[in-house]
Amino acid sequence: MKNRYIFPLIFLLFLAESTLFPWIFPLSWRPVISLTPHFALAGVLFVGVFRNRHQGLLYGLIFGFMHDIVHASPMIGAHAFCMALAGYGAGAAADRMKITLVKTVLVMFAALLFYDWAIYALYRFFRVTFMPFSEMITDFWLPTVLFNLLFIVSIYVPARKLLEGKQDKREEESSGV
């Protein structure tokens, strides 16, 4: 797949998480389950894993800033920083192993946990939130990560087919040539 198609596809994921998800997940469920879709982050992670870590970093910065601006984040740059680090980390981890479904899901699980933890840590450090860590794990982290992992597994095959076209370039980058 050409690089020019990656941005519009991740942008569609960003639009889906921003516009369609609130219709699917009704307001009446929100007091019981706190769930946040990270569809654009999933796209960034797929780019990091199946293309290279530098593209994951770049798309993470772009879509993280978009998330900060569109969703009125209390701190501009927090989501950009965390999404860029998650995309880079997923790409760096994928460089060191043979890519399979299980390993990809584990890498993305770790990246999702890192992203949510880093956002929580930044917000807690700058006193934006006062939610205790144990409450954040049970009320927010577990439902969010499980929902996003289900989404990642459901789009794994098409995403891999679309993004895996330049495997030889990834091998050159990882060997340092």
Side-chain angles (χ1 to χ4, degrees), residues 17-170:
E17 82 179 31
S18 302
T19 58
L20 296 177
F21 186 76
W23 287 0
I24 296 168
F25 193 68
L27 286 171
S28 62
W29 292 1
R30 292 191 186 153
V32 178
I33 300 173
S34 180
L35 185 64
T36 304
H38 297 312
F39 299 155
L41 175 62
V44 167
L45 295 177
F46 275 117
V47 168
V49 168
F50 292 121
R51 283 301 174 100
N52 62 51
R53 62 184 181 263
H54 303 293
Q55 285 185 358
L57 175 79
L58 177 67
Y59 285 112
L61 277 174
I62 292 168
F63 286 100
F65 273 124
M66 286 174 59
H67 190 281
D68 284 331
I69 292 167
V70 170
H71 295 289
S73 176
M75 295 171 46
I76 296 294
H79 290 276
F81 175 73
C82 296
M83 196 177 291
L85 278 180
Y88 186 85
D95 279 344
R96 307 205 186 295
M97 65 180 79
K98 185 176 186 296
I99 299 174
T100 63
L101 171 66
V102 173
K103 290 179 183 175
T104 302
V105 169
L106 287 176
V107 165
M108 291 191 180
F109 175 72
L112 285 169
L113 287 178
F114 167 77
Y115 175 77
D116 284 331
W117 173 81
I119 293 294
Y120 172 77
L122 284 172
Y123 284 178
R124 183 73 188 225
F125 181 75
F126 289 107
R127 297 175 191 252
V128 175
T129 186
F130 298 101
M131 179 185 291
F133 187 69
S134 60
E135 187 177 315
M136 193 270 299
I137 289 175
T138 57
D139 293 349
F140 174 74
W141 213 359
L142 289 176
T144 297
V145 169
L146 292 176
F147 175 78
N148 288 302
L149 276 178
L150 179 67
F151 174 73
I152 286 170
V153 169
S154 68
I155 68 165
Y156 174 80
V157 173
R160 183 170 185 159
K161 285 184 181 183
L162 289 172
L163 293 170
E164 201 175 41
K166 300 197 178 190
Q167 197 64 7
D168 55 340
K169 196 173 206 181
R170 170 182 278 292

